[in-house]
Amino acid sequence: ELGQNLQLFQTTPKTVANEVEAVASGIFHTLILKEDGSLWTTGSNFYGQLGDGTFKDRSTPVMVESGGVRSIAACGYHSLYVKDDGSLWGMGFNGNGRLGDGTTTTRKTPVEILGSGVVRASAGGAHSLFVKSDGSLWAMGHNGRGRLGDGTYTHRSNPVMIVDANVTSISASYNYFGLFLKNDGSLWGMGGNNKGNLGDGTTAERKTPVMIV
């Protein structure tokens, strides 16, 4: 997962790559976005989550995109990234449609989910969220405990709009919930809440967004 061509635990920091702008990690894989907009991946590739066209694990980073990548997200066994043109791409495990490409087919090479308008994405354990340039919030994938926030428990292999405007930041949990921030500073959440995960003062499951703060 560290991308150092080693099969050992590391107890001290090691250099993996230079000129790095951002990183994102799944359970056993890592995405690396470099300053030149290139996308690199390393680690476990059992579901094709590295996007290099194989199911082969990589102990050193492999380049997936040579440039044009704006942001990255990873969690569980799938990966997402947004390009400079606003297109959203995904690869890896697609159970319950978490990649949002209209199928449940595992993808070992990147598949385009949306052609334009996306500004950021967040990958959860079995679902995904993204925000468009108009501030709308969209979700896809596993909808256990209402984590997609669309008022149902129906799994979605195509993106479904949850909020139509004013969303600025998102976080899809590895477990059964998600959070988002609006431009007025309010914090909202949806999904599983049995341990008070959402922070709304209850342990009630929320299949539509509830304001927390």
Side-chain angles (χ1 to χ4, degrees):
E1 297 91 272
L2 298 179
Q4 298 177 294
N5 200 25
L6 298 171
Q7 301 299 319
L8 302 171
F9 292 107
Q10 294 297 313
T11 58
T12 57
K14 304 289 184 181
T15 300
V16 176
N18 296 307
E19 300 178 337
V20 174
E21 181 173 312
V23 295
S25 59
I27 294 181
F28 297 116
H29 75 292
T30 302
L31 308 185
I32 301 166
L33 175 59
K34 289 195 173 184
E35 293 172 354
D36 62 3
S38 62
L39 172 63
W40 300 71
T41 61
T42 187
S44 173
N45 201 20
F46 187 79
Y47 292 104
Q49 60 263 47
L50 300 188
D52 67 347
T54 77
F55 294 109
K56 179 181 178 181
D57 295 346
R58 301 290 183 177
S59 58
T60 57
V62 59
M63 187 170 67
V64 177
E65 294 278 2
S66 60
V69 177
R70 176 191 301 170
S71 65
I72 54 177
C75 189
Y77 302 103
H78 72 292
S79 308
L80 303 171
Y81 61 93
V82 180
K83 288 188 174 183
D84 290 335
D85 62 5
S87 59
L88 175 63
W89 297 72
M91 58 262 196
F93 188 51
N94 199 15
N96 307 112
R98 68 197 68 186
L99 296 183
D101 68 343
T103 78
T104 56
T105 303
T106 291
R107 304 292 185 175
K108 64 181 179 179
T109 56
V111 60
E112 188 178 62
I113 300 162
L114 205 64
S116 63
V118 178
V119 293
R120 62 184 55 85
S122 180
H127 73 299
S128 304
L129 305 176
F130 65 87
V131 176
K132 297 181 75 172
S133 55
D134 61 4
S136 59
L137 171 64
W138 298 71
M140 58 265 195
H142 195 286
N143 203 12
R145 300 183 185 173
R147 75 177 89 180
L148 299 187
D150 68 344
T152 77
Y153 297 106
T154 303
H155 306 323
R156 304 289 184 176
S157 60
N158 287 299
V160 59
M161 188 171 68
I162 309 304
V163 179
D164 62 4
N166 303 319
V167 176
T168 59
S169 183
I170 51 175
S171 179
S173 167
Y174 176 76
N175 289 310
Y176 289 87
F177 68 99
L179 302 171
F180 63 91
L181 187 67
K182 287 190 172 183
N183 60 12
D184 63 1
S186 59
L187 176 65
W188 298 69
M190 59 267 191
N193 196 21
N194 62 313
K195 302 294 185 181
N197 320 33
L198 300 181
D200 67 344
T202 78
T203 56
E205 189 170 279
R206 304 293 187 174
K207 62 180 180 179
T208 57
V210 59
M211 188 168 70
I212 300 165
V213 179

